Amino acid sequence: MSDRKPLIISGVTGDWEVVMGLEVHAQITSNSKLFSGASTHFGADPNCNVALVDTALPGMLPVINEFCVEQAVRTGLGLNAQINLYSRFDRKNYFYPDLPQGYQISQFQYPIVGEGEIEVELEDGSTIMVGIERLHMEQDAGKSIHDLDPNSTYVDLNRSGVALMEIVSKPDIRSPKEAAAYVKKLRSIVVALGTCNGVMAEGNLRADVNVSVCKVGQYAKFQETGDFSHLGTRCEIKNVNSFRFIEQAAEYEARRQVEILEDGGMIDQQTRLFDAETGVTRSMRSKEDAHDYRYFPDPDLLPLQLTQEYVDKIKASLPELPDQKKARFVNEYGLKPYDAGVLSAESDKAAFFEEVAKGRDAKMAANWVTQELFGYLNKFDLELADSPVSAKQLGGLIDLIANDTISGKIAKDVFQKLIEEDDADPAAIVERDGLKQVTDTGAIEKVVDEIIAGNPEQVEQVKAQFAEGHKKPKALGWFVGQAMKLSGGKANPKAVNDILKDKLGL
């Protein structure tokens, strides 16, 4: 772990630091809702996945979905968190058109999961620890649709009653980049566990981003004392559903608050929305506190009483999680921690890498997967599932480099052809296009002799550098580059090096 790099915003009155905590809503992967048997299938026509309980018709009683409870426990274990053997459902009272009951069944005082902690990797390779305050289960609300009619609002109750896990972090996040990295890590954990599919575009994973600012030094006092008065008033940005938007919303909101405070104003505790088109946040409503919701125990649901045996059984069934996979990639494949972290962050990427690396040089496999393949996918905003190059094809390409059939430079050309041609075989491309590496030393010697004869000044420069004690003279690289250029990239680089050193007497 390295020194933290919190976002510091300079102002006329001094520097400000950002403090953030996130409430991430993850839809539990289950076939039916939290308290009814209605389907959770995404994309159904409006109001088709609705049971009588979801519409709050009189006399309809909720029944807990045991599988959702198991999924919440599994997630808590994956967050290294305390599993509470006693938890309780409460009614959170507020009115909204898409909330038929007039309250949300949630957990308040006694959540199913208590404090935990996860390690988050940042872009520069450093890591931070983010504390988990709690995880509680709750039912989702429906959806209000305002753009079908200028005079009416329509309500779709398909999401009403869908099971959610709300994962609440401690105020340990210090910059927008840390916030995005934290949600990425959470997503990787729940996807690996199979407790949430993590599809943010469908609203299955979304974040409420709490942002506040305070004078530099106040956060340290908060850490020492636990006194929240050292921190500024927070605003909550609701339902942000992409990593990029999380960064943008947090950055804008922090600077908005600093600007108000610098002008002598006060921050109102608000719930705000982020407009992705304009990149700004706007006020939605004043932020409610717990007492505004008038929580009380739900009289229709008994408290949940779990046994330690039940929890231990779930723990024993946990899959390999990203942190464990990362450690294995470092130990088993000899990868650098950063590369291991990139490859282990998502289960599909990890599986792809392991297929490519099987029986091959793992470091070379990691480089081709992370740099060439992921670089291409990122450039065109593609998912791994949409990759035009399969693990089998990429493995075959690496085999051609390893057995000296082609050079690394030619391999990049072959990789481009694999992208452009459906289901192409890398070996067949090399044969068809005459790309095999030249290993004939006689042919290479002829090229080297030609370069040496035509560049006497560079020859003297190489010899001078070698005489000064440079075992790998920089000028030698120029000769290698020229030889590769003249051979169309087909000359074996090692053979070129060896012949050059011999001819130059190095």
Side-chain angles (χ1 to χ4, degrees):
M1 294 179 70
S2 62
D3 293 336
R4 296 290 288 272
K5 297 182 179 66
L7 174 63
I8 304 295
I9 302 174
S10 297
V12 176
T13 65
D15 290 344
W16 301 81
E17 55 185 339
V18 178
V19 182
M20 301 171 63
L22 273 68
E23 301 165 15
V24 174
H25 292 83
Q27 179 177 326
I28 296 176
T29 299
S30 64
N31 292 327
S32 54
K33 297 181 180 181
L34 186 55
F35 300 115
S36 82
S39 172
T40 59
H41 176 68
F42 179 81
D45 289 337
N47 297 307
C48 287
N49 293 346
V50 184
L52 297 179
V53 171
D54 307 325
T55 62
L57 289 179
M60 295 298 103
L61 296 175
V63 177
I64 188 70
N65 182 333
E66 182 181 353
F67 182 69
C68 291
V69 175
E70 181 182 328
Q71 293 284 68
V73 172
R74 183 175 284 109
T75 304
L77 292 169
L79 300 175
N80 304 307
Q82 171 66 40
I83 307 301
N84 296 322
L85 300 183
Y86 174 90
S87 62
R88 188 183 75 193
F89 286 100
D90 301 279
R91 290 187 180 181
K92 179 182 181 181
N93 296 273
Y94 65 96
F95 171 77
Y96 215 68
D98 53 25
L99 191 70
Q101 296 152 313
Y103 60 84
Q104 179 188 39
I105 302 177
S106 182
Q107 292 184 312
F108 175 56
Q109 191 173 1
Y110 300 100
I112 191 166
V113 176
E115 293 188 351
E117 187 177 56
I118 62 171
E119 184 177 64
V120 177
E121 298 82 14
L122 304 179
E123 288 180 351
D124 64 1
S126 64
T127 59
I128 59 171
M129 300 303 296
V130 176
I132 304 296
E133 183 69 40
R134 56 190 276 142
L135 176 156
H136 63 263
M137 288 186 290
E138 62 185 23
Q139 57 178 175
D140 204 353
K143 182 179 181 181
S144 295
I145 304 167
H146 306 288
D147 55 2
L148 292 180
D149 188 313
N151 302 309
S152 303
T153 290
Y154 290 80
V155 174
D156 178 7
L157 295 180
N158 279 348
R159 289 194 69 90
S160 179
V162 165
L164 300 178
M165 298 176 287
E166 181 170 338
I167 304 166
V168 182
S169 83
K170 294 184 178 181
D172 291 347
I173 299 166
R174 308 303 315 286
S175 74
K177 287 191 179 297
E178 287 187 4
Y182 164 73
V183 178
K184 285 180 183 178
K185 184 58 177 285
L186 268 188
R187 181 182 180 277
S188 72
I189 292 171
V190 297
V191 170
L193 289 165
T195 57
C196 173
N197 68 15
V199 181
M200 300 180 81
E202 295 178 3
N204 294 346
L205 190 81
R206 54 194 193 267
D208 296 343
V209 185
N210 291 281
V211 181
S212 69
V213 297
C214 59
K215 287 290 189 180
V216 169
Q218 290 299 302
Y219 184 76
K221 291 181 179 179
F222 160 71
Q223 286 186 305
E224 291 170 10
T225 63
D227 184 353
F228 279 87
S229 67
H230 292 294
L231 305 182
T233 301
R234 77 183 192 279
C235 290
E236 179 184 39
I237 310 164
K238 292 289 287 184
N239 293 329
V240 190
N241 68 347
S242 89
F243 304 128
R244 182 163 55 91
F245 293 162
I246 287 169
E247 277 196 55
Q248 291 177 351
E251 180 90 22
Y252 175 86
E253 180 59 24
R255 296 188 183 279
R256 182 191 75 87
Q257 292 183 22
V258 168
E259 188 175 327
I260 291 172
L261 293 168
E262 286 281 323
D263 287 342
M266 301 284 289
I267 302 299
D268 295 324
Q269 187 173 335
Q270 294 177 329
T271 297
R272 302 179 68 83
L273 293 176
F274 176 67
D275 187 326
E277 292 187 5
T278 62
V280 305
T281 64
R282 57 183 173 82
S283 180
M284 180 182 177
R285 59 177 181 267
S286 61
K287 175 65 179 170
E288 300 91 344
D289 287 315
H291 63 264
D292 294 315
Y293 290 118
R294 305 187 324 278
Y295 282 98
F296 65 87
D298 192 301
D300 293 333
L301 289 161
L302 292 171
L304 284 176
Q305 294 272 14
L306 309 179
T307 65
Q308 190 59 49
E309 181 183 10
Y310 172 81
V311 174
D312 291 343
K313 186 177 179 181
I314 295 173
K315 187 174 185 178
S317 70
L318 294 184
E320 185 180 44
L321 295 176
D323 284 349
Q324 297 165 330
K325 201 181 294 290
K326 176 183 175 181
R328 180 168 65 81
F329 282 6
V330 170
N331 295 328
E332 187 175 320
Y333 295 113
L335 302 186
K336 294 178 181 178
Y338 178 78
D339 290 336
V342 170
L343 291 166
S344 62
E346 297 180 39
S347 55
D348 59 339
K349 290 180 178 178
F352 188 98
F353 160 70
E354 293 211 80
E355 185 176 346
V356 174
K358 189 173 182 180
R360 302 182 176 98
D361 183 317
K363 292 180 182 178
M364 185 185 294
N367 286 338
W368 274 90
V369 173
T370 59
Q371 294 176 24
E372 301 301 326
L373 181 65
F374 290 176
Y376 170 80
L377 297 178
N378 291 337
K379 181 179 179 180
F380 294 98
D381 199 24
L382 296 173
E383 297 295 328
L384 183 58
D386 302 317
S387 171
V389 180
S390 69
K392 182 180 179 182
Q393 288 174 305
L394 191 54
L397 181 62
I398 292 170
D399 288 340
L400 295 174
I401 302 170
N403 63 23
D404 289 332
T405 300
I406 57 174
S407 65
K409 183 179 182 303
I410 292 294
K412 292 186 179 183
D413 296 334
V414 177
F415 180 76
Q416 186 59 41
K417 293 175 187 290
L418 290 174
I419 290 173
E420 296 166 356
E421 302 176 24
D422 291 338
D423 300 322
D425 175 58
I429 290 174
V430 169
E431 189 68 37
R432 180 194 71 195
D433 296 346
L435 299 175
K436 281 187 178 180
Q437 190 164 235
V438 176
T439 54
D440 178 1
T441 55
I444 296 174
E445 279 188 25
K446 186 178 178 181
V447 171
V448 169
D449 287 340
E450 183 182 334
I451 297 168
I452 290 173
N455 298 279
E457 290 183 10
Q458 281 85 350
V459 170
E460 293 306 315
Q461 189 178 357
V462 171
K463 291 182 176 180
Q465 288 177 353
F466 188 75
E468 291 171 3
H470 299 285
K471 292 185 178 180
K472 294 182 178 179
K474 289 184 179 179
L476 187 65
W478 182 86
F479 281 97
V480 174
Q482 290 299 305
M484 296 303 292
K485 185 177 179 181
L486 285 175
S487 68
K490 296 180 186 178
N492 183 298
K494 185 178 184 304
V496 171
N497 260 295
D498 291 343
I499 292 170
L500 270 168
K501 288 178 180 179
D502 181 59
K503 295 280 186 182
L504 296 171
L506 303 183

